[in-house]
Amino acid sequence: MNELESLLQLNKMLLAESPQYLAQAAAFPPDAEAQWRLFRSLVNVRAPRPAGGDFLALQDSLLQKITACKGVTAFHSLTPMQKGLYLWQGDITTLQTDGIVNAANSGLTGCYHPCHQCIDNAIHTFSGVQLRLACASIIKAQGRPEPAGQAKITRAYNLPCRYVLHTVGPAVAGAPSQKDRDLLASCYRSCLALAEKHGLRSIAFCCISTGEFHFPRREAAEIAVKTVKEYLNASPGLLVVFNVFTEEDHKIYHDLLRPLKHR
């Protein structure tokens, strides 16, 4: 079954469980690009619930093929900027590490805006519908939304990494307060401690809170690098990748991670 055939079949199954979207779906042409947008839209709005075995087998095969086509970057191919610290610019859903960090919201179940460009949406989309259900189970078990500054861990399902660590950063309006700074630092410490607890050797951090949550990029990066260095000095062993997507973030982290003699 080729990509278009897989998408048509998956979308048919998704629409069967959510017929309220049939009229909107009819506007999508029967080509692979349009049907991918429809698929992503439908899974983005899909409530966390189990999916049938036929759906999961077809979804998993499709997502793994798409990720392979995008190109997977293996952690061992990266060169450290400093001892144990790496900088990598790219799509975190294609990075093969033990764990990646998702900048989550307090519901943990991902972004429900169809085809939104946030990292939360991308990670949930390319992991598969299993991730949303796993995160919903965590929230149900703890009986409350996820507080900022903490972290949870799940399988990564169809991503090339092994685990996803979910952390809620502080949402900032205006200049960050000291509480905002402390909560952001806590996100990094919580993820590192959780990774260590579960035996992970490598972990990739996205730029927590700097997107939809509006934490100033430079200050967030300074907190990230300082907090990670302090943690690793006290508890060495983990290898940490700072993952960036934009040129602006790459420049900031490159400047912070350069050895002093090269600055």
Side-chain angles (χ1 to χ4, degrees), residues 69 93 179 255:
C69 286
T93 67
K179 181 180 179 181
D255 181 54

Side-chain angles (χ1 to χ4, degrees), residues 183-227:
L183 284 172
L184 183 58
S186 180
C187 288
Y188 287 90
R189 284 193 298 268
S190 296
C191 288
L192 291 165
L194 192 58
E196 204 168 27
K197 178 181 176 181
H198 285 265
L200 278 64
R201 291 280 296 131
S202 58
I203 179 174
F205 283 101
C206 62
C207 302
I208 301 167
S209 277
T210 61
E212 297 296 311
F213 287 6
H214 304 297
F215 207 108
R217 294 177 182 275
R218 177 80 191 196
E219 187 173 3
E222 290 170 350
I223 291 169
V225 172
K226 179 176 183 291
T227 304

Side-chain angles (χ1 to χ4, degrees), residues 9 33 49 52-53 60 63 71-72 75 96 106 111 118 123 151 161 163 168 201 207 219 230 237 262:
Q9 185 62 29
E33 182 179 351
R49 57 176 175 263
D60 293 355
L63 293 177
V72 172
F75 170 76
Q96 191 175 55
S106 62
C111 169
C118 68
I123 287 174
C161 59
Y163 297 98
V168 182
R201 291 280 296 131
C207 302
E219 187 173 3
E230 288 175 349
H262 297 304

Side-chain angles (χ1 to χ4, degrees), residues 94-115:
T94 66
L95 185 59
Q96 191 175 55
T97 53
D98 285 344
I100 64 171
V101 174
N102 180 30
N105 57 45
S106 62
L108 284 195
T109 54
C111 169
Y112 285 78
H113 296 286
C115 299

Side-chain angles (χ1 to χ4, degrees), residues 86-246:
Y86 299 74
L87 174 62
W88 181 71
Q89 184 177 14
D91 177 355
I92 200 169
T93 67
T94 66
L95 185 59
Q96 191 175 55
T97 53
D98 285 344
I100 64 171
V101 174
N102 180 30
N105 57 45
S106 62
L108 284 195
T109 54
C111 169
Y112 285 78
H113 296 286
C115 299
H116 195 255
Q117 295 303 303
C118 68
I119 191 169
D120 197 14
N121 188 295
I123 287 174
H124 274 268
T125 297
F126 288 98
S127 177
V129 298
Q130 302 97 310
L131 184 59
R132 178 165 284 177
L133 182 61
C135 290
S137 298
I138 290 172
I139 293 297
K140 182 179 180 180
Q142 72 182 19
R144 59 187 171 87
E146 181 71 359
Q150 299 183 19
K152 295 293 187 293
I153 189 168
T154 64
R155 288 174 53 195
Y157 299 99
N158 293 295
L159 297 172
C161 59
R162 293 170 54 210
Y163 297 98
V164 179
L165 294 96
H166 309 261
T167 190
V168 182
V172 175
S177 65
Q178 188 56 49
K179 181 180 179 181
D180 294 327
R181 299 184 188 98
D182 292 343
L183 284 172
L184 183 58
S186 180
C187 288
Y188 287 90
R189 284 193 298 268
S190 296
C191 288
L192 291 165
L194 192 58
E196 204 168 27
K197 178 181 176 181
H198 285 265
L200 278 64
R201 291 280 296 131
S202 58
I203 179 174
F205 283 101
C206 62
C207 302
I208 301 167
S209 277
T210 61
E212 297 296 311
F213 287 6
H214 304 297
F215 207 108
R217 294 177 182 275
R218 177 80 191 196
E219 187 173 3
E222 290 170 350
I223 291 169
V225 172
K226 179 176 183 291
T227 304
V228 168
K229 283 186 174 181
E230 288 175 349
Y231 188 97
L232 297 186
N233 284 338
S235 183
L238 275 173
L239 302 173
V240 174
V241 181
F242 293 104
N243 164 247
V244 298
F245 195 71
T246 69

